[in-house]
Amino acid sequence: MKGIVRLINPASCTNIKNYVGHGSSINELKWHPKDSNLLLSASKDHCLRLWNTKTDQLVAIFGGVEGHRDEVLSTDIDLTGSRIISCGMDHSLKVWRLDTDGLRTAMQDSYTYNPSKTDRAFKTVHQHFPDFSTREIHRNYVDCVRWLGNFVLSKSCDNRIVCWKPGRLDQPLDAVRRTDNNVSVLHRFEYNQCDIWYMRFSIDLWQKVLAMGNQYGKTFVWDIDIDDPANARCTILKHNKCVSAVRQTSLSKNGKTLICVCDDSTVWRWEKVTR
């Protein structure tokens, strides 16, 4: 069956929980940065779902009237845990707030709800309207998105990762309204030989390193711990035996270890060496 979230115990290598609800394949999962019990899933069914894995309750569904019109390919929660951003095959990027009164109450209630003491189902929040939406950044599938502070990093199939911000550059993120159509592009991180989709970049926990692979085994790494992203220094990692598409990258918390997963079923580990 498709659309099932499975929780795995790595110590015992067993499937301990299943969450059924999505109508099709799940493309990405993200844990909440402040509450490790909350899990966000993005699906081919055009929706996102927020689960409480401690009490097994579905807290919220994001999608519907003004939601995505095609597969949701990628999603991320900002470090404050107050905003979600999502992207998909409809070329759009959407921001959803988690700090509204309704969602805060739902997250709190998901911990106290006891199905054995009531005949009523848990009241899941249905969020049909994003707090911001744009199709102005990319002209094709948007297959990866991450928060960078109050900025956003996103990519499509056009050999660049775009750093941008909803609204005007001088406008606080909280002041951006649902009807606002403005976007501010700060920088484009260029790379090459990566015009296929479903290729994922990553950043470390402290948001100092950005890594992205291409379809011929090379990995581009940028030092983004700078004031102006235009000055970011790029290093290209390559090995003569790594020649397949690097579909996924993952950085350790301190940004010193990089894992790359390739189409030929190989996994590569790179270590940053200080000289």
Side-chain angles (χ1 to χ4, degrees):
M1 291 181 64
K2 294 181 179 180
I4 301 175
V5 179
R6 303 187 189 277
L7 294 191
I8 308 296
N9 184 329
S12 61
C13 298
T14 56
N15 180 192
I16 56 175
K17 289 184 179 181
N18 299 306
Y19 297 116
V20 180
H22 281 297
S24 193
S25 305
I26 296 169
N27 289 320
E28 188 154 49
L29 297 169
K30 281 289 178 177
W31 291 103
H32 192 285
K34 296 287 188 180
D35 186 341
S36 59
N37 294 313
L38 296 179
L39 178 65
L40 181 66
S41 54
S43 173
K44 187 177 180 179
D45 67 3
H46 307 182
C47 292
L48 301 103
R49 291 180 177 237
L50 184 66
W51 312 82
N52 186 324
T53 60
K54 184 175 183 179
T55 60
D56 304 327
Q57 299 305 317
L58 176 59
V59 179
I61 301 173
F62 303 89
V65 179
E66 294 293 336
H68 286 281
R69 291 291 177 262
D70 209 329
E71 287 192 43
V72 186
L73 295 176
S74 183
T75 187
D76 196 28
I77 308 175
D78 73 344
L79 290 179
T80 66
S82 61
R83 292 181 183 84
I84 294 169
I85 189 157
S86 59
C87 64
M89 293 180 72
D90 58 359
H91 307 184
S92 72
L93 294 119
K94 298 181 184 291
V95 176
W96 314 79
R97 295 197 68 147
L98 284 175
D99 57 357
T100 63
D101 291 340
L103 278 164
R104 281 176 176 169
T105 300
M107 286 186 276
Q108 292 171 0
D109 290 348
S110 69
Y111 281 100
T112 57
Y113 175 78
N114 189 338
S116 65
K117 295 182 179 180
T118 180
D119 57 357
R120 295 183 178 180
F122 179 78
K123 191 176 181 180
T124 299
V125 174
H126 293 263
Q127 187 64 37
H128 295 285
F129 299 93
D131 293 276
F132 178 82
S133 182
T134 184
R135 289 166 55 94
E136 297 300 316
I137 304 298
H138 302 284
R139 295 293 180 266
N140 208 326
Y141 300 157
V142 190
D143 58 1
C144 191
V145 65
R146 298 290 181 264
W147 285 104
L148 180 65
N150 287 329
F151 303 133
V152 178
L153 295 171
S154 61
K155 68 166 286 287
S156 182
C157 315
D158 48 6
N159 287 306
R160 61 177 62 92
I161 298 169
V162 183
C163 180
W164 61 279
K165 176 189 172 296
R168 301 186 311 275
L169 191 58
D170 60 347
Q171 187 179 14
L173 203 53
D174 289 336
V176 178
R177 299 293 175 239
R178 183 173 295 161
T179 56
D180 199 332
N181 295 319
N182 294 319
V183 292
S184 301
V185 174
L186 284 79
H187 184 63
R188 293 176 176 87
F189 295 93
E190 305 281 350
Y191 45 92
N192 56 43
Q193 298 179 312
C194 190
D195 53 6
I196 59 176
W197 72 289
Y198 217 85
M199 304 281 283
R200 305 296 183 95
F201 64 83
S202 62
I203 58 176
D204 66 313
L205 178 65
W206 304 114
Q207 301 184 339
K208 295 182 177 181
V209 182
L210 169 66
M212 171 72 199
N214 74 2
Q215 62 201 76
Y216 295 105
K218 294 180 180 179
T219 302
F220 299 80
V221 182
W222 292 269
D223 177 4
I224 56 174
D225 187 23
I226 50 177
D227 294 329
D228 184 355
N231 296 326
R233 180 174 58 88
C234 180
T235 301
I236 300 177
L237 306 178
K238 58 183 178 179
H239 191 281
N240 58 7
K241 292 185 178 181
C242 184
V243 295
S244 182
V246 181
R247 289 285 177 181
Q248 183 92 35
T249 62
S250 183
L251 284 153
S252 61
K253 289 184 177 181
N254 61 10
K256 292 184 177 181
T257 301
L258 172 64
I259 301 295
C260 300
V261 180
C262 300
D263 264 1
D264 61 359
S265 302
T266 59
V267 178
W268 295 79
R269 173 172 171 166
W270 300 87
E271 294 285 345
K272 183 178 181 180
V273 178
T274 303
R275 296 178 179 176

